Amino acid sequence: MVDRRGLGKWMARPPSNRWGVTTIVASLLVFASALPIVGSVHFLDSSPHGWCSVDIRFPQVTGLASASIESKINGEFRKRYFDFPAPYFPDLSFARAPNVHPPMERCEHRMAALDAQLKSNGYPTQFGHASVLVSTMFRVGFRGRSFISVVGDGFYAATPSAHPNDFRWTQNLDASTGKSLAFGDLFFTDAAHKRRLHDLIEQSLRAAPYAKQYGLVESYDAGDFPGDLQPLVCAGRVRFFDIFDVHAVASVTTFVSGMDLIAGGVVKSRAVIAVLEQPRRASDTCGQF
Protein backbone atom coordinates (compact mmCIF):
# COMPACT_ATOMS: atom_id res chain seq x y z
CA MET A 1 0.00 0.00 0.00
CA VAL A 2 1.40 3.39 -0.93
CA ASP A 3 0.20 6.43 1.00
CA ARG A 4 0.43 9.84 -0.66
CA ARG A 5 -0.56 13.17 0.80
CA GLY A 6 -0.49 16.71 -0.48
CA LEU A 7 0.45 19.97 1.13
CA GLY A 8 -2.82 21.86 0.81
CA LYS A 9 -4.83 20.36 3.63
CA TRP A 10 -2.07 21.11 6.10
CA MET A 11 -1.45 24.69 5.02
CA ALA A 12 -5.16 25.43 5.38
CA ARG A 13 -4.81 25.61 9.18
CA PRO A 14 -3.12 28.85 10.28
CA PRO A 15 -1.05 28.48 13.44
CA SER A 16 -1.88 30.32 16.64
CA ASN A 17 -0.76 30.26 20.26
CA ARG A 18 -3.28 28.17 22.11
CA TRP A 19 -3.86 24.78 23.61
CA GLY A 20 -6.94 22.68 22.98
CA VAL A 21 -7.89 19.27 24.30
CA THR A 22 -10.22 16.96 22.43
CA THR A 23 -11.15 13.53 23.71
CA ILE A 24 -11.40 10.77 21.13
CA VAL A 25 -13.23 7.73 22.48
CA ALA A 26 -13.12 4.56 20.41
CA SER A 27 -16.31 2.57 20.87
CA LEU A 28 -15.91 -1.04 21.92
CA LEU A 29 -18.62 -3.65 22.28
CA VAL A 30 -17.29 -5.26 25.44
CA PHE A 31 -15.98 -3.74 28.68
CA ALA A 32 -15.68 -0.31 27.15
CA SER A 33 -15.87 1.44 30.52
CA ALA A 34 -12.94 -0.61 31.85
CA LEU A 35 -10.55 0.32 29.06
CA PRO A 36 -8.26 3.36 29.02
CA ILE A 37 -9.22 6.32 26.85
CA VAL A 38 -6.70 7.73 24.39
CA GLY A 39 -7.47 11.40 23.82
CA SER A 40 -5.81 14.06 21.70
CA VAL A 41 -4.02 17.20 22.88
CA HIS A 42 -3.69 19.91 20.24
CA PHE A 43 -0.78 22.35 20.35
CA LEU A 44 -0.29 25.19 17.87
CA ASP A 45 2.43 27.81 17.87
CA SER A 46 4.35 30.07 15.52
CA SER A 47 7.31 32.43 15.57
CA PRO A 48 6.70 36.20 15.73
CA HIS A 49 6.33 36.60 11.93
CA GLY A 50 4.97 33.13 11.24
CA TRP A 51 8.07 31.89 9.42
CA CYS A 52 8.27 28.86 11.75
CA SER A 53 5.04 27.07 12.64
CA VAL A 54 4.01 23.92 14.45
CA ASP A 55 0.63 22.19 14.49
CA ILE A 56 0.84 19.14 16.73
CA ARG A 57 -1.71 16.60 17.92
CA PHE A 58 -0.32 14.08 20.36
CA PRO A 59 -1.93 11.30 22.44
CA GLN A 60 -2.92 11.46 26.07
CA VAL A 61 -4.19 8.43 27.97
CA THR A 62 -6.66 8.51 30.86
CA GLY A 63 -8.51 5.84 32.79
CA LEU A 64 -5.58 3.75 33.97
CA ALA A 65 -5.67 2.34 37.48
CA SER A 66 -2.31 3.91 38.38
CA ALA A 67 -1.90 7.68 38.18
CA SER A 68 1.90 7.36 38.16
CA ILE A 69 1.89 4.91 35.23
CA GLU A 70 -0.59 7.13 33.40
CA SER A 71 1.71 10.11 33.91
CA LYS A 72 4.72 8.09 32.70
CA ILE A 73 2.94 7.02 29.52
CA ASN A 74 1.75 10.55 28.77
CA GLY A 75 5.29 11.82 29.30
CA GLU A 76 6.54 9.30 26.74
CA PHE A 77 3.86 10.39 24.29
CA ARG A 78 4.65 14.08 24.65
CA LYS A 79 8.41 13.56 24.37
CA ARG A 80 8.08 11.56 21.18
CA TYR A 81 5.78 14.02 19.44
CA PHE A 82 7.74 17.13 20.38
CA ASP A 83 11.27 15.86 19.85
CA PHE A 84 11.55 15.86 16.07
CA PRO A 85 14.15 13.72 14.32
CA ALA A 86 16.98 15.38 12.41
CA PRO A 87 16.96 17.27 10.13
CA TYR A 88 13.50 18.52 11.06
CA PHE A 89 13.52 21.76 13.02
CA PRO A 90 17.14 21.45 14.24
CA ASP A 91 16.84 24.69 16.24
CA LEU A 92 13.85 23.54 18.24
CA SER A 93 13.49 21.06 21.09
CA PHE A 94 9.95 20.59 22.34
CA ALA A 95 10.74 17.95 24.98
CA ARG A 96 9.98 20.35 27.82
CA ALA A 97 7.44 20.77 30.57
CA PRO A 98 3.83 21.20 29.40
CA ASN A 99 2.73 24.73 28.44
CA VAL A 100 6.30 25.98 28.04
CA HIS A 101 6.72 27.42 24.56
CA PRO A 102 9.91 26.48 22.70
CA PRO A 103 12.30 29.13 21.38
CA MET A 104 10.51 29.81 18.11
CA GLU A 105 12.45 33.03 17.68
CA ARG A 106 15.69 31.09 17.14
CA CYS A 107 14.11 29.21 14.24
CA GLU A 108 12.89 32.49 12.76
CA HIS A 109 16.39 33.94 12.93
CA ARG A 110 17.61 30.92 10.96
CA MET A 111 14.87 31.46 8.35
CA ALA A 112 15.77 35.14 8.05
CA ALA A 113 19.43 34.29 7.46
CA LEU A 114 18.47 31.63 4.90
CA ASP A 115 16.15 34.03 3.10
CA ALA A 116 18.85 36.69 2.89
CA GLN A 117 21.33 34.17 1.52
CA LEU A 118 18.89 32.92 -1.12
CA LYS A 119 18.10 36.45 -2.30
CA SER A 120 21.78 37.38 -2.47
CA ASN A 121 22.30 34.36 -4.72
CA GLY A 122 19.53 35.52 -7.04
CA TYR A 123 16.95 32.95 -5.99
CA PRO A 124 13.43 33.82 -7.25
CA THR A 125 11.39 35.65 -4.62
CA GLN A 126 7.92 34.68 -5.85
CA PHE A 127 7.85 31.82 -3.35
CA GLY A 128 7.75 34.25 -0.44
CA HIS A 129 9.89 34.29 2.67
CA ALA A 130 11.82 31.17 3.71
CA SER A 131 9.68 29.27 6.19
CA VAL A 132 9.05 25.87 7.75
CA LEU A 133 5.94 24.07 8.98
CA VAL A 134 5.89 20.92 11.08
CA SER A 135 2.61 19.14 11.73
CA THR A 136 1.86 15.83 13.45
CA MET A 137 -1.16 13.67 14.11
CA PHE A 138 -1.76 10.11 15.27
CA ARG A 139 -4.04 7.07 15.11
CA VAL A 140 -4.63 4.37 17.71
CA GLY A 141 -4.05 0.78 16.61
CA PHE A 142 -5.02 -0.84 19.91
CA ARG A 143 -5.80 0.22 23.45
CA GLY A 144 -6.22 -2.22 26.29
CA ARG A 145 -5.62 -2.53 29.99
CA SER A 146 -2.16 -4.00 29.43
CA PHE A 147 -1.12 -2.79 25.98
CA ILE A 148 -1.42 0.38 23.87
CA SER A 149 -0.21 0.83 20.27
CA VAL A 150 -0.20 4.18 18.46
CA VAL A 151 1.20 5.43 15.15
CA GLY A 152 2.34 9.02 14.67
CA ASP A 153 2.43 10.80 11.33
CA GLY A 154 4.74 13.77 10.94
CA PHE A 155 4.76 16.27 8.10
CA TYR A 156 7.55 18.76 7.35
CA ALA A 157 7.20 21.45 4.69
CA ALA A 158 9.75 24.11 3.84
CA THR A 159 9.69 27.12 1.52
CA PRO A 160 11.51 27.00 -0.78
CA SER A 161 11.74 23.25 -1.39
CA ALA A 162 10.75 20.81 -4.09
CA HIS A 163 8.27 18.92 -1.94
CA PRO A 164 7.25 18.23 1.66
CA ASN A 165 8.55 15.27 3.66
CA ASP A 166 6.74 12.72 5.81
CA PHE A 167 8.10 10.80 8.76
CA ARG A 168 6.19 8.08 10.63
CA TRP A 169 6.83 6.23 13.84
CA THR A 170 4.98 3.92 16.20
CA GLN A 171 4.80 3.71 19.97
CA ASN A 172 4.00 0.47 21.74
CA LEU A 173 3.60 0.65 25.49
CA ASP A 174 3.09 -1.76 28.35
CA ALA A 175 0.06 -0.14 29.99
CA SER A 176 0.65 -2.09 33.21
CA THR A 177 4.13 -0.63 33.77
CA GLY A 178 4.29 2.40 31.46
CA LYS A 179 7.35 1.03 29.68
CA SER A 180 7.92 1.90 26.04
CA LEU A 181 8.49 -1.31 24.08
CA ALA A 182 11.19 -1.41 21.44
CA PHE A 183 11.08 -3.61 18.34
CA GLY A 184 13.17 -6.21 20.13
CA ASP A 185 10.63 -6.35 22.96
CA LEU A 186 7.88 -7.25 20.49
CA PHE A 187 9.66 -9.55 18.02
CA PHE A 188 12.59 -11.94 18.07
CA THR A 189 15.54 -10.32 16.34
CA ASP A 190 17.98 -13.18 15.72
CA ALA A 191 18.87 -13.96 12.09
CA ALA A 192 16.44 -16.88 11.67
CA HIS A 193 13.43 -14.97 13.01
CA LYS A 194 14.34 -11.87 11.03
CA ARG A 195 14.32 -14.00 7.88
CA ARG A 196 10.86 -15.37 8.69
CA LEU A 197 9.48 -11.90 9.33
CA HIS A 198 11.13 -10.63 6.16
CA ASP A 199 9.37 -13.37 4.18
CA LEU A 200 5.99 -12.59 5.74
CA ILE A 201 6.33 -8.91 4.89
CA GLU A 202 7.42 -9.78 1.35
CA GLN A 203 4.33 -11.97 0.88
CA SER A 204 2.16 -9.09 1.99
CA LEU A 205 3.90 -6.69 -0.40
CA ARG A 206 3.34 -9.05 -3.32
CA ALA A 207 -0.40 -8.88 -2.71
CA ALA A 208 -0.46 -5.09 -2.32
CA PRO A 209 -2.06 -2.87 -4.99
CA TYR A 210 0.49 -1.34 -7.36
CA ALA A 211 3.17 -3.80 -6.18
CA LYS A 212 4.48 -4.34 -9.71
CA GLN A 213 4.07 -0.72 -10.75
CA TYR A 214 6.29 0.53 -7.92
CA GLY A 215 8.56 -2.51 -7.71
CA LEU A 216 7.78 -2.95 -4.03
CA VAL A 217 9.14 -6.47 -3.63
CA GLU A 218 12.28 -5.75 -5.63
CA SER A 219 13.00 -2.62 -3.59
CA TYR A 220 12.40 -4.50 -0.35
CA ASP A 221 14.67 -7.39 -1.31
CA ALA A 222 17.40 -5.06 -2.51
CA GLY A 223 17.97 -3.60 0.94
CA ASP A 224 19.02 -4.99 4.27
CA PHE A 225 16.41 -6.07 6.78
CA PRO A 226 15.08 -2.77 8.18
CA GLY A 227 16.20 -2.52 11.77
CA ASP A 228 13.79 0.31 12.42
CA LEU A 229 10.55 -1.23 11.15
CA GLN A 230 7.65 0.59 12.76
CA PRO A 231 5.01 -1.94 13.90
CA LEU A 232 1.47 -0.86 14.77
CA VAL A 233 -0.22 -3.70 16.64
CA CYS A 234 -3.96 -4.09 16.02
CA ALA A 235 -6.49 -6.80 16.79
CA GLY A 236 -5.62 -9.70 14.49
CA ARG A 237 -2.79 -8.05 12.53
CA VAL A 238 0.27 -5.83 12.53
CA ARG A 239 0.77 -2.90 10.21
CA PHE A 240 4.41 -2.15 9.44
CA PHE A 241 5.24 1.44 8.51
CA ASP A 242 8.27 2.93 6.76
CA ILE A 243 9.42 -0.33 5.22
CA PHE A 244 11.32 1.86 2.79
CA ASP A 245 10.82 5.23 1.12
CA VAL A 246 9.89 5.36 -2.53
CA HIS A 247 9.59 9.15 -2.67
CA ALA A 248 9.72 12.10 -0.34
CA VAL A 249 5.93 12.32 -0.26
CA ALA A 250 5.19 8.60 -0.21
CA SER A 251 6.13 5.70 2.01
CA VAL A 252 5.37 2.00 1.96
CA THR A 253 3.22 0.35 4.61
CA THR A 254 1.78 -3.14 4.69
CA PHE A 255 -0.36 -5.44 6.86
CA VAL A 256 0.67 -8.88 8.07
CA SER A 257 -1.85 -11.33 9.54
CA GLY A 258 -1.54 -11.93 13.25
CA MET A 259 -2.07 -15.65 12.77
CA ASP A 260 0.75 -15.75 10.23
CA LEU A 261 3.05 -13.91 12.63
CA ILE A 262 2.18 -16.25 15.48
CA ALA A 263 2.51 -19.34 13.30
CA GLY A 264 5.90 -18.10 12.14
CA GLY A 265 7.03 -17.86 15.74
CA VAL A 266 8.38 -14.35 15.30
CA VAL A 267 6.33 -12.65 18.05
CA LYS A 268 8.16 -12.39 21.35
CA SER A 269 5.74 -10.41 23.52
CA ARG A 270 2.89 -12.30 25.19
CA ALA A 271 0.87 -9.09 25.30
CA VAL A 272 1.21 -8.71 21.53
CA ILE A 273 0.26 -12.36 20.96
CA ALA A 274 -2.90 -11.79 23.02
CA VAL A 275 -3.82 -8.83 20.81
CA LEU A 276 -3.09 -10.72 17.59
CA GLU A 277 -5.25 -13.64 18.72
CA GLN A 278 -8.27 -11.35 18.90
CA PRO A 279 -10.59 -11.31 15.89
CA ARG A 280 -10.12 -8.43 13.53
CA ARG A 281 -12.84 -5.80 13.87
CA ALA A 282 -14.55 -4.81 10.64
CA SER A 283 -14.39 -1.12 11.57
CA ASP A 284 -10.71 -1.22 12.54
CA THR A 285 -8.59 0.65 9.98
CA CYS A 286 -5.39 -0.16 11.91
CA GLY A 287 -3.94 3.33 11.76
CA GLN A 288 -5.20 4.37 8.34
CA PHE A 289 -4.73 8.13 7.84
Side-chain angles (χ1 to χ4, degrees):
M1 179 182 299
V2 177
D3 291 344
R4 297 186 182 274
R5 293 182 299 149
L7 177 60
K9 66 176 182 179
W10 294 94
M11 298 300 290
R13 294 195 301 265
S16 61
N17 296 320
R18 66 180 185 275
W19 282 83
V21 180
T22 305
T23 301
I24 303 172
V25 182
S27 60
L28 297 177
L29 298 179
V30 184
F31 303 125
S33 61
L35 295 180
I37 295 171
V38 180
S40 174
V41 180
H42 193 189
F43 175 80
L44 301 96
D45 199 7
S46 64
S47 60
H49 295 92
W51 300 338
C52 299
S53 305
V54 290
D55 183 348
I56 302 170
R57 297 179 187 271
F58 64 97
Q60 185 175 70
V61 64
T62 58
L64 296 179
S66 169
S68 61
I69 292 177
E70 189 174 285
S71 177
K72 183 179 180 180
I73 289 177
N74 287 332
E76 290 294 324
F77 278 143
R78 192 180 195 283
K79 179 180 179 181
R80 186 63 187 86
Y81 280 74
F82 281 73
D83 191 9
F84 300 115
Y88 307 106
F89 261 19
D91 291 335
L92 297 177
S93 176
F94 290 87
R96 298 180 169 205
N99 300 311
V100 176
H101 286 204
M104 301 292 284
E105 294 85 354
R106 188 166 58 185
C107 176
E108 184 158 299
H109 291 160
R110 183 167 63 90
M111 289 297 103
L114 175 61
D115 192 71
Q117 180 182 359
L118 291 171
K119 290 177 180 177
S120 67
N121 292 333
Y123 194 88
T125 59
Q126 65 265 30
F127 297 105
H129 201 286
S131 63
V132 290
L133 165 67
V134 174
S135 182
T136 67
M137 57 188 299
F138 71 94
R139 292 287 185 270
V140 180
F142 185 85
R143 63 184 180 93
R145 283 163 285 188
S146 60
F147 184 79
I148 297 173
S149 187
V150 174
V151 59
D153 187 31
F155 178 83
Y156 173 89
T159 300
S161 66
H163 41 63
N165 289 275
D166 291 3
F167 50 102
R168 288 189 175 131
W169 66 94
T170 58
Q171 279 182 289
N172 294 283
L173 300 112
D174 184 335
S176 63
T177 65
K179 178 185 176 183
S180 290
L181 302 174
F183 188 87
D185 296 318
L186 306 182
F187 300 94
F188 293 105
T189 55
D190 58 276
H193 286 94
K194 280 185 176 181
R195 185 68 247 178
R196 292 180 203 169
L197 181 55
H198 182 285
D199 292 344
L200 289 171
I201 292 174
E202 182 178 310
Q203 290 174 19
S204 178
L205 288 174
R206 287 187 186 279
Y210 312 113
K212 292 184 178 180
Q213 178 181 350
Y214 289 102
L216 300 186
V217 175
E218 292 77 7
S219 297
Y220 182 56
D221 285 340
D224 295 329
F225 182 88
D228 57 351
L229 276 175
Q230 297 292 323
L232 180 70
V233 180
C234 306
R237 55 183 173 161
V238 172
R239 186 177 187 186
F240 293 97
F241 287 88
D242 280 353
I243 295 172
F244 55 87
D245 289 333
V246 295
H247 192 270
V249 292
S251 61
V252 176
T253 174
T254 194
F255 300 92
V256 179
S257 160
M259 291 299 100
D260 289 343
L261 291 167
I262 294 173
V266 298
V267 185
K268 180 179 180 180
S269 167
R270 292 184 178 180
V272 170
I273 291 175
V275 175
L276 297 181
E277 288 177 338
Q278 295 188 23
R280 175 181 168 184
R281 305 182 184 99
S283 61
D284 183 6
T285 62
C286 198
Q288 181 70 51
F289 285 93

